[in-house]
Amino acid sequence: MDISQLINDYNWMKKEIARLHRIIYGSTVPMIKWGVAQYGIEATMPKGSSGMSASELDAMDLREKRQIERLETYQRYVYALESAVDILENERQKFIYDCLLDEMTYRQIALHLNMSKDFVQKQKNDIVRQIRQSRQITAILTMEKSAV
């Protein structure tokens, strides 16, 4: 999987996640709620599984199963891209990365930073290199469990 292409597809994937949530579950769930622990009284209350039971999965048709698999994949990719900002080396790269995720062009970012477009492209290449080398991000993208 190409990290650079995932960065380019970030906003599209977030929209697709919302669409699939509406189709499958009838409403959207904000990213902040994906697997986040609750506090206070909600934390003590028993909860059912966030997934579906085996009998529910068996009853689903093939299309719904594919949609759920695609939803889980996109959620994993978006989560990895959101987490990647923490591994970047400096604040300028973090800023450029955020701008890229907001679909700003190299030219727009360069004008905003008062830098050259070539500088922004070099920084993006460095950002992609750092993300590729991150075991944490690679584990999220490939669904590997980390023993750290």
Side-chain angles (χ1 to χ4, degrees), residues 41-58:
I41 191 74
E42 290 105 20
T44 62
M45 301 301 291
K47 293 166 206 50
S49 169
S50 62
M52 295 186 163
S53 69
S55 61
E56 286 175 313
L57 288 173
D58 291 340

Side-chain angles (χ1 to χ4, degrees), residues 1 3 6 31 75-89 94 97 128-148:
M1 98 199 49
I3 299 296
L6 283 177
M31 185 175 166
Q75 284 177 330
R76 193 173 66 248
Y77 289 167
V78 168
Y79 178 74
L81 291 172
E82 292 279 334
S83 302
V85 74
D86 297 330
I87 64 159
L88 299 178
E89 293 173 354
K94 291 177 182 184
Y97 184 68
V128 169
R129 179 192 54 78
Q130 290 177 54
I131 293 172
R132 276 193 192 124
Q133 291 176 350
S134 169
R135 290 181 187 197
Q136 171 191 355
I137 302 302
T138 304
I140 293 170
L141 291 173
T142 59
M143 291 182 41
E144 295 173 4
K145 297 288 183 184
S146 144
V148 176

Side-chain angles (χ1 to χ4, degrees), residues 2-135:
D2 182 29
I3 299 296
S4 186
Q5 187 61 43
L6 283 177
I7 292 170
N8 292 337
D9 290 345
Y10 169 79
N11 284 305
W12 173 85
M13 284 189 287
K14 284 181 73 173
K15 290 175 187 171
E16 183 63 6
I17 288 169
R19 186 185 77 83
L20 289 171
H21 259 285
R22 279 192 306 275
I23 291 170
I24 297 167
Y25 302 112
S27 66
T28 61
V29 177
M31 185 175 166
I32 198 163
K33 299 282 187 186
W34 298 348
V36 174
Q38 294 180 345
Y39 299 97
I41 191 74
E42 290 105 20
T44 62
M45 301 301 291
K47 293 166 206 50
S49 169
S50 62
M52 295 186 163
S53 69
S55 61
E56 286 175 313
L57 288 173
D58 291 340
M60 296 173 75
D61 65 17
L62 207 52
R63 183 167 183 255
E64 287 176 315
K65 289 178 184 177
R66 279 195 317 267
Q67 287 174 333
I68 287 176
E69 289 172 10
R70 195 170 59 229
L71 173 67
E72 290 169 353
T73 300
Y74 291 159
Q75 284 177 330
R76 193 173 66 248
Y77 289 167
V78 168
Y79 178 74
L81 291 172
E82 292 279 334
S83 302
V85 74
D86 297 330
I87 64 159
L88 299 178
E89 293 173 354
N90 62 51
E91 288 302 313
R92 184 177 295 156
Q93 288 180 340
K94 291 177 182 184
F95 178 80
I96 291 171
Y97 184 68
D98 283 338
C99 290
L100 289 168
L101 292 182
D102 289 337
E103 295 183 296
M104 288 177 71
T105 64
Y106 295 141
R107 175 180 239 155
Q108 291 170 328
I109 297 168
L111 287 171
H112 190 64
L113 288 175
N114 201 22
M115 307 255 171
S116 73
K117 189 173 86 167
D118 291 336
F119 176 81
V120 174
Q121 287 177 320
K122 287 177 186 174
Q123 289 297 304
K124 181 193 177 192
N125 291 337
D126 192 42
I127 290 167
V128 169
R129 179 192 54 78
Q130 290 177 54
I131 293 172
R132 276 193 192 124
Q133 291 176 350
S134 169
R135 290 181 187 197

